[in-house]
Amino acid sequence: MKALIGSTLSAVTLALYTQTASATSFDSETLRLRGIDPDLAAYLSQTARFTEGVHAVRLWVNGQPRGVVHAAFDTAGALCIDQAVRDAGDLVDTGSGCGEFIEQFPQTLIELLPQAGEVRLLVPAPALRTASADHSAFTRGGAAGLLNYDVQGLYNQFDGQRSRFLSANTEAGVNAGDWILRSRQFYSSVQGKATLQHMEAYAQRTFSERQAMLQLGQINLSNPVLAGARVTGAQWMSEPALGASVSGAQVQGIAATQARVDVRQGGVLIYSTVVPAGPFELSNIPQLDRRRDLEVTVIEADGERRTFTVLAAALGLDLPARGFALGIGQLRDSGRNAREPWVLSAGASYPLAPAASVSGGALVAQGYNAGGAGLNLEPWPGSRVQGLMQAAHTSESDDRGLQGSFSLNQQLGDRWSALLSAGRQTVGYRELIDSAWHQPGERSSRLRDQYALGLTWTHPWTGSLSATWSTTTAFDGQRASRAQVNWGRRLGPVSLTATGQWQVAGDGGLGNALYMSASLPLGEGVNWRSTARRDATGVRLGSGVQGRWDERTQYRVAAERASHTGELSYNGGISRLTQASQLDVGYASYGRGSHGYSGAARGAVVLHEDGVTLSPYPLQDTFGLLTLENVAGVQIDTPGGSVWTDRKGRAVLPQLAPFGRSNVQVATASLPRNVDVHQGAATLQAARGAVPRITFGVEVTRRLLLQVQDEAGRRLNRGTGVTDAQGQLVTLVQEDGAVFVPNAHANPHLWSRTVDEQPCRLQFQLPASVDTNAYYEQTVAQCRVEESES
C-alpha cells in the first residue's frame, strides 16, 4: 500500500512539475495513450509551478539556507512573500499583503523549484534585516511568573552508619514590562538538620537604546580588573547580550562512590549536586566573582570528605568585553561577624586597536581602596594575552599591597594549544572581603603566588589529550600542587577514555585517582562499558550497560569488583525527560549491607494569564510561550532543548537569546496523523526580559485512499485527473482506480471522468470517528455521472 501511495505521489509530482522553458502545446491523443488526462494539457503547458495553497518548502535567501517555511501560493503558482516568509528569510517588513515586497524591491528574483520543494530568493542588500541602533525590531513586553527548581536527594547506609541529604536550588521570579525580578534560595538538609540560605534577590531591566542594564537589590558588583563584591545596592552596566557572552565555570574531578559535590567561592556555597562514581564534569557553574578561586568538596557515600581548590587562573583566560560598570551598595554576607561597609565600584574596558584593549577599575569602601588596570592583546593569530596589575590599601591596619597576573592562551599549530597563567601578590595586598574582618594569625598562610599550565593535543592517531597543572605557594613557604590528565581516543566503534588526578604537593585532601573506560556500541542506543579505577582504596574493575528505551528515557546498569577484597558492588539508574520535568533515580550497593539511593528532579513552573504550564528545563531570564491549538504531546524544537505541548496545546520556550535570533520549529513527525500545522517554524527576536507568545495554527485533515468505480462497476482509467468543485487539480487516478485524496475536509466534492469520458462525481461514506494513528483511511467510492459544478 505504501508503494501505491508513493506511486501516486510520484505520478502527481511528475505530472505537475514537468518543467518547460515556455508555453507548449500538447497532443491530446498522445497524452491519453500515455495514461495522462488530456485536460491537464493547459496546466502542464505553463511550466513547473506549485499548486494553489500552502506548502512546506525549504527557503534559501541569497544562497543561504533559512530552514523550512510554510509558504502560500496563488492560483497561478506565484509565491506570496508574506510575514512568514519574511521572518524565516530575515527580510524587512513591507506590509501585510503579498505584493508589497516586490513593489518595494523590484530587483528581487524568485526561483521556484517545486520538484525539489524549494524556493530560492535573490534580494538586494537593503531588503535584508539589520540590527538597528534602537533595536526596535525586538519583541518587548509580556508578563509571566516562574519557579525554577533543582531538587537532589541522597540516602546512604555505609558500615551501619546512615546519612541523608536533601537539597533544593530554587529561583522564583516575574517577567513584566521587560523588568526581570528574581529571588534565589538554597535549601539543604543533612541528617535532618535543615538550613535555608537566601542567595540574592534583585530587579533588572535593559535600556536597549543606551545598550545598558540597571540592576537593583542584592547583586554582585562587576569590575573588569578587580574582584567584585556581594552588596545590597544598585548597578548600571553594559548589556552583556549586546557585547560578548560569559559562561560559567567548569570543574572536573573523580568520585569513588555515588557522592555529593559542593562548590564554594569566598566561603559561600554556590552550587551543590550529586554525581555517580567515576569522573565528573560540572559545567556552567554560576560564579560570584570570576577572579576568585573555587573550593570543591566531594562527600563520598561513607562520609569521607575530599576538598580541592580550582584556581581562578585555571578556569581559562577571561578577556573582558567592551563596556562599563558602575555600582554602589552595602557589603553583605561577608561572614565571620565582619563589618559591612558601603562600596563604590567603577570600571570599563575599551579597545585601543582591533587586536588590543585596555581595562581599568577602582573600588572605594569605608576603610578600603583599590584600583587596577589591564591590557588585553592578540599579538598574533591564535594568541590571546592579558596582563593585570592591582593595588589595594586597608586603612585600619594600614596594609598596602600589589597584585599582578599574566595569562596567555596560545594556539601552537593545528594540533597543540596551551594556557599559561601566573600571579603574585605582596603580603600587604587585601581583597575587599578580606579587609572586612581581622585575621592577624593568617597573614603568613595566605597565598603569595600561583601558577597554572594547561596543554591540549589532538591527533587522528593518538586522539585528544589535555593536561592541567596548578600550584600555589603561601607566604610561609607551604606549597600545594594539583595535576589532572584527560585522554580520549576512538578505535573503530570502540571509545577509550582515561582520567587521572594527583595531589603533587601539599595536603589538599584530594587523593590520587586514575579512571579508565572502554565503550562499545551493542546496537541501536545501547552501549557496553568496561571501567578500571585505582585510588587510595585499591583497584576496582567494572562493567555495565547504558542504553535508551526511547528517545526520552535512558537507563544504566553496572557492576564493580574490588581486586584486593573481591567484594562486588552494583549500581543502576533511570533518567526520564518528561513533558513537565527531568527525573532521575538511582541505586548503588557497596556490599556488606552498604547501599544508597538517589533521586533528582529539575524543571520549571510558569504562571501566565491562561493558567499554569510546566517546563522540563529551568527558565532563563528571557523565555516564551507557545500554543498549538489544543494539540497535546507535540514535540517543539527550541534553542533550550525539545519540549512537548501539554493537554491544552501549550509549551514553554525555556531559553531565548536576548537581542538575538531564536528558531522554534514543530517536529512534524510528532503530530497526530490527521493534523497538519499551518506554520511550523518561527524565528523570535526578543529583548531581554520579554515574554513573547506565538501560536501555530493547525488544521485537522482526513487523508483518503479511495477505490473508485463508475456506475457500471468499471475502474477509472489510470492517469485521469481528479479535480475539486472549482476545477482545480487535486490528484490523479492510479492503477485499479485508486485515488489518494490529501485532505477530504478541504475537498469534500471531487470530480473525475468515467472510462467513456463522462464527467462524474465521487461519492463515498466515511466513519464518524477518525483513527489519529493512521496516516490515511481506505474506503470505496462510486463516480456517478451528473452535471459538473465546475
Side-chain angles (χ1 to χ4, degrees):
M1 193 59 65
K2 291 183 178 179
L4 176 60
I5 296 175
S7 175
T8 301
L9 297 178
S10 298
V12 174
T13 301
L14 180 62
L16 297 182
Y17 304 141
T18 301
Q19 193 167 357
T20 60
S22 59
T24 305
S25 298
F26 292 92
D27 183 88
S28 299
E29 182 62 20
T30 300
L31 290 175
R32 186 186 65 78
L33 293 175
R34 294 186 178 183
I36 300 176
D37 191 343
D39 288 345
L40 296 177
Y43 186 93
L44 294 172
S45 66
Q46 301 179 28
T47 196
R49 55 177 172 150
F50 286 94
T51 56
E52 181 183 7
V54 177
H55 298 271
V57 299
R58 289 185 294 274
L59 179 65
W60 294 72
V61 177
N62 291 0
Q64 299 298 317
R66 298 293 185 176
V68 176
V69 61
H70 284 68
F73 298 86
D74 62 15
T75 55
L79 172 68
C80 174
I81 304 182
D82 55 12
Q83 189 67 41
V85 174
R86 293 196 298 270
D87 287 342
D90 207 13
L91 305 175
V92 298
D93 292 333
T94 54
S96 58
C98 293
E100 286 85 346
F101 186 88
I102 299 298
E103 292 177 2
Q104 185 169 338
F105 302 103
Q107 312 96 313
T108 300
L109 298 179
I110 303 175
E111 183 182 6
L112 304 179
L113 302 172
Q115 66 272 25
E118 294 183 354
V119 171
R120 295 177 179 265
L121 302 181
L122 185 62
V123 303
L128 296 172
R129 292 178 185 172
T130 57
S132 58
D134 60 358
H135 301 280
S136 59
F138 293 102
T139 302
R140 299 179 180 278
L146 65 91
L147 175 66
N148 289 331
Y149 62 89
D150 186 350
V151 180
Q152 305 268 352
L154 182 63
Y155 171 83
N156 282 315
Q157 181 173 314
F158 212 97
D159 291 336
Q161 301 293 320
R162 297 181 179 180
S163 65
R164 296 181 299 275
F165 169 74
L166 177 66
S167 71
N169 282 287
T170 60
E171 179 184 42
V174 173
N175 284 28
D178 295 339
W179 278 94
I180 301 170
L181 283 71
R182 294 291 186 270
S183 175
R184 294 190 178 97
Q185 302 74 223
F186 177 73
Y187 169 86
S188 66
S189 174
V190 181
Q191 298 295 83
K193 183 179 180 180
T195 59
L196 178 62
Q197 181 178 354
H198 176 72
M199 305 294 289
E200 58 186 358
Y202 64 91
Q204 173 182 301
R205 190 183 191 280
T206 293
F207 297 86
S208 56
E209 65 278 3
R210 298 181 179 273
Q211 299 188 19
M213 173 193 297
L214 174 66
Q215 292 181 330
L216 303 170
Q218 296 173 323
I219 59 177
N220 298 314
L221 292 181
S222 177
N223 197 295
V225 295
L226 296 171
R230 290 160 55 86
V231 302
T232 301
Q235 182 167 225
W236 178 252
M237 59 186 295
S238 296
E239 164 59 66
L242 302 178
S245 61
V246 177
S247 60
Q250 184 180 82
V251 172
Q252 295 178 327
I254 298 178
T257 61
Q258 184 172 264
R260 183 174 107 233
V261 179
D262 293 342
V263 182
R264 288 178 169 83
Q265 190 175 42
V268 177
L269 181 65
I270 61 173
Y271 191 80
S272 182
T273 189
V274 176
V275 299
F280 63 84
E281 181 176 302
L282 311 179
S283 301
N284 294 324
I285 298 175
Q287 297 173 259
L288 304 178
D289 182 354
R290 295 183 65 84
R291 304 198 180 282
R292 191 169 298 161
D293 302 339
L294 300 181
E295 184 183 86
V296 183
T297 302
V298 180
I299 305 171
E300 301 289 356
D302 60 357
E304 179 190 1
R305 304 172 70 93
R306 298 182 292 111
T307 301
F308 61 95
T309 300
V310 180
L311 300 181
L315 296 175
L317 183 57
D318 175 30
L319 298 183
R322 172 176 179 170
F324 68 91
L326 175 64
I328 186 172
Q330 187 177 20
L331 190 68
R332 65 184 178 92
D333 298 335
S334 54
R336 307 196 185 186
N337 298 318
R339 56 190 179 86
E340 297 183 343
W342 281 84
V343 184
L344 173 65
S345 174
S349 178
Y350 289 98
L352 296 176
S357 65
V358 63
S359 304
L363 193 147
V364 179
Q366 295 168 307
Y368 179 84
N369 302 291
L375 181 63
N376 313 301
L377 301 172
E378 295 183 8
W380 49 81
S383 177
R384 302 176 69 188
V385 179
Q386 182 183 54
L388 292 175
M389 181 61 70
Q390 299 118 332
H393 174 226
T394 304
S395 302
E396 185 173 347
S397 59
D398 198 28
D399 283 328
R400 290 179 171 84
L402 297 174
Q403 177 177 265
S405 63
F406 169 84
S407 299
L408 168 65
N409 205 340
Q410 178 64 54
Q411 186 72 33
L412 305 172
D414 296 335
R415 309 194 186 281
W416 281 96
S417 64
L419 168 67
L420 173 64
S421 179
R424 187 159 193 170
Q425 66 179 7
T426 64
V427 70
Y429 184 82
R430 294 285 188 277
E431 302 284 4
L432 173 63
I433 191 68
D434 300 329
S435 69
W437 43 272
H438 299 286
Q439 50 174 355
E442 300 184 14
R443 177 185 291 262
S444 61
S445 63
R446 293 176 58 248
L447 297 182
R448 182 188 65 196
D449 50 41
Q450 53 182 303
Y451 302 93
L453 176 64
L455 293 174
T456 301
W457 161 263
T458 302
H459 192 279
W461 293 353
T462 60
S464 176
L465 176 66
S466 64
T468 58
W469 170 80
S470 61
T471 183
T472 61
T473 305
F475 284 101
D476 60 6
Q478 294 293 320
R479 292 182 61 244
S481 300
R482 179 182 182 233
Q484 179 157 331
V485 175
N486 296 285
W487 173 77
R489 174 74 165 89
R490 191 174 186 87
L491 296 174
V494 180
S495 296
L496 304 175
T497 62
T499 300
Q501 63 180 21
W502 297 271
Q503 191 71 28
V504 181
D507 183 16
L510 172 64
N512 301 331
L514 178 63
Y515 184 95
M516 296 181 291
S517 71
S519 179
L520 174 66
L522 300 179
E524 185 176 356
V526 180
N527 286 279
W528 168 81
R529 181 176 229 174
S530 182
T531 63
R533 182 174 74 243
R534 179 183 178 86
D535 54 24
T537 63
V539 177
R540 302 183 70 90
L541 302 177
S543 185
V545 173
Q546 297 175 336
R548 290 177 177 270
W549 271 317
D550 54 46
E551 62 178 2
R552 290 194 279 168
T553 307
Q554 299 181 2
Y555 63 88
R556 58 191 183 275
V557 179
E560 199 173 50
R561 182 179 182 273
S563 60
H564 62 294
T565 62
E567 185 179 76
L568 286 174
S569 60
Y570 307 91
N571 67 83
I574 298 175
S575 299
R576 172 71 175 171
L577 177 62
T578 71
Q579 296 180 9
S581 184
Q582 299 178 59
L583 304 176
D584 184 272
V585 294
Y587 172 78
S589 172
Y590 307 109
R592 299 193 307 273
S594 299
H595 58 269
Y597 304 90
S598 66
R602 188 168 181 256
V605 180
V606 183
L607 178 64
H608 49 88
E609 59 185 5
D610 294 326
V612 177
T613 306
L614 304 180
S615 168
Y617 308 100
L619 272 58
Q620 303 298 313
D621 55 14
T622 306
F623 59 94
L625 297 168
L626 178 143
T627 302
L628 199 63
E629 294 189 357
N630 296 319
V631 182
V634 177
Q635 179 179 329
I636 311 295
D637 296 328
T638 80
S642 295
V643 297
W644 290 264
T645 55
D646 61 14
R647 58 185 178 87
K648 296 182 179 180
R650 302 193 187 107
V652 180
L653 310 177
Q655 178 180 335
L656 301 177
F659 299 104
R661 294 171 56 89
S662 301
N663 296 320
V664 178
Q665 187 164 343
V666 175
T668 54
S670 65
L671 287 167
R673 294 294 184 263
N674 66 327
V675 172
D676 284 335
V677 62
H678 292 168
Q679 180 67 31
T683 299
L684 300 179
Q685 298 183 95
R688 187 184 294 275
V691 187
R693 303 192 65 167
I694 59 174
T695 299
F696 287 151
V698 297
E699 179 181 4
V700 178
T701 64
R702 200 156 190 183
R703 303 178 186 89
L704 306 178
L705 182 62
L706 305 176
Q707 297 294 333
V708 184
Q709 298 177 346
D710 61 14
E711 293 174 282
R714 298 172 298 180
R715 306 283 187 181
L716 302 189
N717 292 331
R718 179 180 180 275
T720 304
V722 178
T723 61
D724 60 14
Q726 287 73 41
Q728 296 293 322
L729 178 68
V730 176
T731 185
L732 300 177
V733 178
Q734 293 300 296
E735 296 288 348
D736 297 326
V739 173
F740 182 74
V741 182
N743 188 358
H745 293 311
N747 301 291
H749 304 297
L750 298 173
W751 293 80
S752 188
R753 292 179 180 273
T754 63
V755 175
D756 50 8
E757 299 297 324
Q758 294 294 315
C760 61
R761 180 176 175 176
L762 274 64
Q763 295 186 351
F764 48 87
Q765 294 291 330
L766 293 177
S769 60
V770 180
D771 184 1
T772 59
N773 294 320
Y775 184 75
Y776 61 88
E777 300 173 72
Q778 298 185 64
T779 189
V780 175
Q782 188 177 68
C783 203
R784 294 187 177 181
V785 177
E786 57 182 90
E787 182 181 353
S788 174
E789 296 181 1
S790 58

